[in-house]
Amino acid sequence: MGDDLATGEQIYTLKAGVARIRGLGLRLGADRRIVYATQPDVQWIDSEPHASLTAELQTINLDRWPAVGAVQARITVRRVVDVVHGGFIGAADPLPDNAVIEVEQVKQGATVYDSGASWNLVAGQIDWSPTGPEPAPGTTYQATYKCNIVADVLNQTTRTFQVQGALPGTQVLTSYNFALRRYDRLVLNTDGVPEWVRGVSSAFNPLKPRTPSNC
């Protein structure tokens, strides 16, 4: 076996010599270079959980590998955004992120507005329908909240990747395809032509294929 091609194909060299196929000698006068497009069987892993240890750049080790194609990662981050209050008392103001988990603080200047008394989080909006104090319509206030986002995956390999910004103590939910384990068998047929016999793939216990009777 030689080094894989940059495009992923495997390279094998079949050395010159004599093969016996069904009792008959077949002479190979020269080495043969065999290029094999493996075409792996893949399995989709959805939302594999990993603990975030820091909001700084961190490396995540995949539970199953090699990963095939792009890895997706969903993380929990903290946002601090400016929100413009609606044009009337009691308006609901949408936040810029959809998957809001928790609003930690709503304030305008030195005034901090209490959850429940002044506002509630409803469908990704700061809802000012409660009867407590609220900012004047058309003014800007500040909201601090946690939300889930699709992260930028950095420096991906077949076994690891890196993300940044995931709050410590939260989960990095990782989705990806990985190549199932598989044994394939390289054989020579009675005409001396190399052939591949695919095995049965599995995440843990692949089955080796039998050799065809004419090889």
Side-chain angles (χ1 to χ4, degrees), residues 47-181:
S47 301
E48 178 182 281
H50 296 272
S52 173
L53 303 179
T54 175
E56 303 300 320
L57 187 68
Q58 61 182 311
T59 300
I60 303 295
N61 296 304
L62 298 173
D63 287 349
R64 304 187 186 190
W65 50 271
V68 178
V71 170
Q72 301 174 16
R74 183 171 290 275
I75 63 175
T76 300
V77 298
R78 177 176 285 110
R79 301 280 206 208
V80 180
V81 300
D82 291 331
V83 182
V84 177
H85 192 21
F88 57 92
I89 297 295
D93 304 322
L95 295 170
D97 293 283
N98 293 323
V100 177
I101 301 170
E102 174 190 6
V103 176
E104 298 176 310
Q105 187 182 71
V106 174
K107 70 174 184 176
Q108 188 179 57
T111 303
V112 176
Y113 297 95
D114 294 330
S115 172
S118 291
W119 58 269
N120 291 306
L121 174 63
V122 178
Q125 303 176 94
I126 304 295
D127 182 355
W128 294 95
S129 58
T131 58
E134 67 179 88
T139 62
T140 299
Y141 60 93
Q142 190 177 76
T144 303
Y145 58 89
K146 296 178 183 177
C147 65
N148 289 332
I149 65 167
V150 176
D152 292 328
V153 172
L154 307 172
N155 305 318
Q156 179 187 331
T157 70
T158 58
R159 301 184 66 168
T160 65
F161 67 94
Q162 293 182 313
V163 292
Q164 191 168 14
L167 293 175
T170 62
Q171 290 187 334
V172 179
L173 298 178
T174 307
S175 300
Y176 59 98
N177 277 312
F178 83 101
L180 294 167
R181 301 175 187 180

Side-chain angles (χ1 to χ4, degrees), residues 176-215:
Y176 59 98
N177 277 312
F178 83 101
L180 294 167
R181 301 175 187 180
R182 193 181 75 221
Y183 292 107
D184 293 350
R185 190 182 295 277
L186 175 61
V187 299
L188 283 175
N189 65 22
T190 52
D191 296 322
V193 178
E195 295 180 352
W196 288 95
V197 184
R198 287 168 65 107
V200 178
S201 61
S202 170
F204 301 104
N205 298 304
L207 298 178
K208 295 180 180 180
R210 294 182 178 181
T211 302
S213 61
N214 65 333
C215 297

